[in-house]
Amino acid sequence: MQTPLWITTLADLHSHYTTPAKPALAKVTAHLTPAYAAFIAASRFCILSTVGPEGTDGSPRGDEGPVVIPLDAETLLLPDWKGNERIDSLRNIVRDGRVSLIFLVAGSTTAVRVNGQAKLTADADLRARFDRSGTQPRSVIVIRVAEVYAQCARALQRSALWTSAQPENLPTPGQMLQDASAGAINGADYDAERATRAHLGWW
């Protein structure tokens, strides 16, 4: 493949694009407006992006109700529920508080983006806000909003994310794990055990 002609300066970059339309700039706020807050309250899924010395990390976060709780118009609370114990995002936040989130609502072609600064806490009162029949997250991510805005619908419209069927022969988690481990972990066994791991619970 021929080496691409890289874009390495802002002047070169801007030469390929036009000026943003007025709504693209006017939609950015430094706090949760009522409309942004209502959308986020309807979202059960977001992607949390963090940055640390090793690089960047993107982590899906989901809940059976709102994935975050607004503390006020400038603060969001995101619980860290049971996972795989990698804690990549949490390690990054401890060392570098910069975060970005993308909130999605099933069926909607709108996405809402939040950029800000995050801190991690195990504060008992904040953890108790997310109590699930006596089970609480081990920590809560407290996000101070710097920017919030709605994303253009084209990406979700182009992808037909909510209307497309799952592709045939989509690799399973076990197959991906078997490939990544160079066969050290049996993918079929891993997939077969997934149902029995459900007893570990969501929380």
Short mmCIF file of all heavy atoms in Angstrom, two decimals, residues 16 44 71 74 95 114 155-156 193 195:
data_model
loop_
_atom_site.label_atom_id
_atom_site.label_comp_id
_atom_site.label_asym_id
_atom_site.label_seq_id
_atom_site.Cartn_x
_atom_site.Cartn_y
_atom_site.Cartn_z
N HIS A 16 -9.62 21.05 4.27
CA HIS A 16 -10.49 19.96 3.79
C HIS A 16 -11.92 20.09 4.29
O HIS A 16 -12.78 19.29 3.94
CB HIS A 16 -9.92 18.61 4.24
CG HIS A 16 -8.63 18.26 3.59
ND1 HIS A 16 -8.55 17.65 2.35
CD2 HIS A 16 -7.35 18.44 4.00
CE1 HIS A 16 -7.28 17.46 2.03
NE2 HIS A 16 -6.53 17.93 3.01
N ARG A 44 -29.92 4.36 29.25
CA ARG A 44 -29.48 3.23 30.05
C ARG A 44 -28.08 2.75 29.66
O ARG A 44 -27.58 1.78 30.22
CB ARG A 44 -30.46 2.06 29.89
CG ARG A 44 -31.87 2.37 30.38
CD ARG A 44 -32.74 1.13 30.28
NE ARG A 44 -34.05 1.36 30.87
CZ ARG A 44 -34.90 0.39 31.17
NH1 ARG A 44 -34.56 -0.87 30.93
NH2 ARG A 44 -36.07 0.66 31.70
N LEU A 71 -26.22 14.89 39.91
CA LEU A 71 -26.20 15.44 41.27
C LEU A 71 -26.70 16.87 41.26
O LEU A 71 -27.39 17.31 42.16
CB LEU A 71 -24.78 15.36 41.85
CG LEU A 71 -24.61 15.73 43.31
CD1 LEU A 71 -25.42 14.78 44.20
CD2 LEU A 71 -23.13 15.69 43.70
N GLU A 74 -24.29 20.48 36.90
CA GLU A 74 -22.90 20.40 36.44
C GLU A 74 -22.20 19.13 36.89
O GLU A 74 -20.99 19.00 36.68
CB GLU A 74 -22.12 21.63 36.95
CG GLU A 74 -22.65 22.94 36.39
CD GLU A 74 -21.90 24.14 36.96
OE1 GLU A 74 -21.27 24.00 38.01
OE2 GLU A 74 -21.97 25.22 36.34
N ARG A 95 -5.34 8.82 37.82
CA ARG A 95 -4.11 9.47 37.37
C ARG A 95 -4.35 10.65 36.44
O ARG A 95 -3.50 11.55 36.33
CB ARG A 95 -3.21 8.43 36.67
CG ARG A 95 -2.77 7.32 37.61
CD ARG A 95 -2.01 6.23 36.89
NE ARG A 95 -2.86 5.53 35.93
CZ ARG A 95 -2.42 4.57 35.12
NH1 ARG A 95 -1.15 4.19 35.17
NH2 ARG A 95 -3.24 3.96 34.29
N VAL A 114 -20.76 14.27 26.52
CA VAL A 114 -20.33 15.05 27.69
C VAL A 114 -18.82 14.95 27.81
O VAL A 114 -18.25 13.85 27.75
CB VAL A 114 -20.99 14.54 28.99
CG1 VAL A 114 -20.37 15.22 30.21
CG2 VAL A 114 -22.49 14.77 28.97
N ALA A 155 -24.54 9.49 12.03
CA ALA A 155 -23.81 8.25 12.32
C ALA A 155 -24.76 7.10 12.62
O ALA A 155 -24.61 5.98 12.10
CB ALA A 155 -22.84 8.47 13.48
N LEU A 156 -25.76 7.35 13.47
CA LEU A 156 -26.71 6.30 13.82
C LEU A 156 -27.67 6.01 12.68
O LEU A 156 -28.11 4.87 12.50
CB LEU A 156 -27.48 6.69 15.08
CG LEU A 156 -26.63 6.69 16.36
CD1 LEU A 156 -27.41 7.28 17.53
CD2 LEU A 156 -26.16 5.29 16.69
N GLU A 193 -20.04 -21.97 29.25
CA GLU A 193 -20.10 -21.63 30.68
C GLU A 193 -20.75 -20.28 30.94
O GLU A 193 -21.05 -19.94 32.09
CB GLU A 193 -18.69 -21.63 31.28
CG GLU A 193 -18.05 -23.01 31.32
CD GLU A 193 -16.57 -22.94 31.64
OE1 GLU A 193 -16.06 -21.80 31.80
OE2 GLU A 193 -15.93 -23.99 31.70
N ALA A 195 -23.71 -19.14 30.45
CA ALA A 195 -25.03 -19.20 31.08
C ALA A 195 -24.91 -19.51 32.57
O ALA A 195 -25.66 -18.97 33.38
CB ALA A 195 -25.88 -20.26 30.39
#
